Amino acid sequence: MKKKVLLDFDIGTEIDDAIALAYLLANPDCELVGITTSCGEAVKRAEMASMLCKMAGKDIPIHPGCEDPIFIPQMETTAPQTRVLERWEHDTGYERYSAVPFMQRVIRENPGEITLIATAPMTNLGVLFTMDPELPELLEGLFLLCGSPTHHRYDVVTETLSAMERDDIVRVLASQGILENNSIIDPHATSIVYRAKCRNHVNIGNNVSSRVTMTPEQAEAAFKHPILQAVMAIAKEWFKDEARVSFHDAVAAACIFHDDICTYKRGYLSCEMDSKLLAGMTVFREDPEGPHKVGWTIDENKFFEHLFEVFE
């Protein structure tokens, strides 16, 4: 039976969002029931998602979501990769701020069946779970690309950290893995989401997702499927700032379907809220009875095997 998946992401900033969406669209075991976007220029991000859906021949509901964090100013204000839209067919006319009511409706209409994967800052989820606190328990699973239990980052980050406005010290901390974009952009929402009670609460952090990269040349050779050719068009915008392909979001997506990609530990994840400098830093306490299943190691070869098998 296909898994019903609801994707919340911020396509248009880094390249891994597009790879993750292409993977879910091509995966025969995935029924993608909806796509929601967040952060600055959420409508343009929705249009970008529609570009890949059209390449896949799929008609997927797409809804723009929150553009600003719950309490603090937005750091991810633009979606620079949306420059490709002028060269690719895509839908327009998306209703602003429609993501949260859409997510609520889909989850309530399919109790116990929806796997929600969030690979963006947690604002949409924070608002959703605050508005309807019963929803997390109605999910089949919640997969997050957020934070890190060990504060290790293995890829080399030389770009301007996703076109975000940051002071220098936060930039350094993020480049080393001490801070992570999806958790620090809206730490209040991150804290809400970590406290949510659901049956399968899975977290994929930088400690595993940053181990998987490609050079532009490797990606050019591997991305032959028509959907991946559209991804490569987006990647060329990314390559203007960063000469590597990251797979963070795609790792989280593949883990929904394959338990052999990562090893996990159980415990409690929490989010630092008291420090202005470190707000959003994630802290992990191991406990076999804890509510959070946290990615600990990754088999890079297994990941690439599972990623590309859907495009054969």
Side-chain angles (χ1 to χ4, degrees), residues 159-174:
E159 35 87 14
T160 57
L161 286 175
S162 308
M164 297 177 194
E165 299 173 1
R166 302 174 182 272
D167 59 42
D168 288 341
I169 192 163
V170 172
R171 189 185 306 276
V172 171
L173 293 174

Side-chain angles (χ1 to χ4, degrees), residues 250-306:
V251 171
C255 285
I256 295 174
F257 302 92
H258 300 285
D259 288 334
D260 59 347
I261 292 175
C262 289
T263 64
Y264 297 90
K265 291 189 177 183
R266 280 207 165 270
Y268 292 85
L269 274 167
S270 59
C271 179
E272 168 61 38
M273 296 297 297
D274 294 332
S275 167
K276 183 177 180 181
L277 176 63
L278 297 177
M281 184 179 75
T282 50
V283 179
F284 177 67
R285 177 168 60 86
E286 187 174 357
D287 184 332
E289 302 300 319
H292 302 122
K293 182 180 175 182
V294 179
W296 203 257
T297 67
I298 185 169
D299 184 328
E300 294 96 322
N301 292 330
K302 280 289 185 184
F303 165 70
F304 280 123
E305 175 188 333
H306 291 314

Side-chain angles (χ1 to χ4, degrees), residues 3-293:
K3 284 185 177 290
K4 294 182 178 180
V5 176
L6 175 59
L7 170 65
D8 181 71
F9 72 160
D10 56 343
I11 189 172
T13 302
E14 298 193 27
I15 188 55
D16 49 322
D17 301 79
I19 299 170
L21 176 54
Y23 169 79
L24 293 173
L25 289 168
N27 192 330
D29 296 324
C30 176
E31 179 185 345
L32 191 57
V33 299
I35 298 168
T36 57
T37 63
S38 67
C39 296
E41 300 187 316
V43 172
K44 285 187 177 180
R45 296 178 193 273
E47 293 174 356
M48 200 168 183
S50 78
M51 164 188 152
L52 292 179
C53 290
K54 284 187 174 297
M55 283 298 300
K58 300 285 185 71
D59 184 15
I60 310 294
I62 303 174
H63 292 268
C66 300
E67 295 198 332
D68 294 307
I70 294 174
F71 285 119
I72 64 176
Q74 179 61 265
M75 291 187 285
E76 191 174 352
T77 57
T78 63
Q81 293 167 12
T82 57
R83 290 188 292 261
V84 304
L85 287 172
E86 63 187 26
R87 304 192 299 273
W88 292 80
E89 183 182 0
H90 62 277
D91 289 332
T92 59
Y94 289 104
E95 181 184 357
R96 297 182 72 189
Y97 313 126
S98 59
V100 172
F102 168 75
M103 296 166 84
Q104 182 189 33
R105 184 174 69 253
V106 168
I107 294 168
R108 284 208 165 269
E109 289 177 353
N110 300 272
E113 298 181 8
I114 301 297
T115 295
L116 172 57
I117 174 172
T119 64
M122 299 289 119
T123 309
N124 284 343
L125 273 65
V127 172
L128 177 69
F129 292 168
T130 300
M131 178 185 71
D132 191 342
E134 296 176 355
L135 280 186
E137 295 184 274
L138 298 179
L139 293 169
E140 180 182 17
L142 175 62
F143 282 71
L144 307 178
L145 179 79
C146 190
S148 175
T150 61
H151 307 127
H152 288 166
R153 183 164 188 154
Y154 298 92
D155 52 351
V156 178
V157 180
T158 59
E159 35 87 14
T160 57
L161 286 175
S162 308
M164 297 177 194
E165 299 173 1
R166 302 174 182 272
D167 59 42
D168 288 341
I169 192 163
V170 172
R171 189 185 306 276
V172 171
L173 293 174
S175 70
Q176 298 301 307
I178 297 169
L179 299 177
E180 187 271 339
N181 290 348
N182 287 345
S183 59
I184 68 174
I185 287 175
D186 194 341
H188 301 88
T190 302
S191 182
I192 291 168
V193 173
Y194 279 151
R195 295 197 307 269
K197 296 179 181 179
C198 54
R199 68 185 78 180
N200 188 24
H201 203 307
V202 182
N203 195 91
I204 302 298
N206 268 336
N207 59 305
V208 292
S209 67
S210 66
R211 285 189 173 274
V212 188
T213 62
M214 276 186 176
T215 66
E217 294 75 20
Q218 288 171 325
E220 193 80 53
F223 287 20
K224 296 301 185 183
H225 190 278
I227 305 176
L228 293 178
Q229 286 294 296
V231 172
M232 279 305 302
I234 300 169
K236 288 175 182 177
E237 294 295 326
W238 166 251
F239 294 153
K240 293 176 182 178
D241 295 316
E242 181 63 24
R244 67 178 170 90
V245 179
S246 56
F247 291 86
H248 303 282
D249 294 22
V251 171
C255 285
I256 295 174
F257 302 92
H258 300 285
D259 288 334
D260 59 347
I261 292 175
C262 289
T263 64
Y264 297 90
K265 291 189 177 183
R266 280 207 165 270
Y268 292 85
L269 274 167
S270 59
C271 179
E272 168 61 38
M273 296 297 297
D274 294 332
S275 167
K276 183 177 180 181
L277 176 63
L278 297 177
M281 184 179 75
T282 50
V283 179
F284 177 67
R285 177 168 60 86
E286 187 174 357
D287 184 332
E289 302 300 319
H292 302 122
K293 182 180 175 182

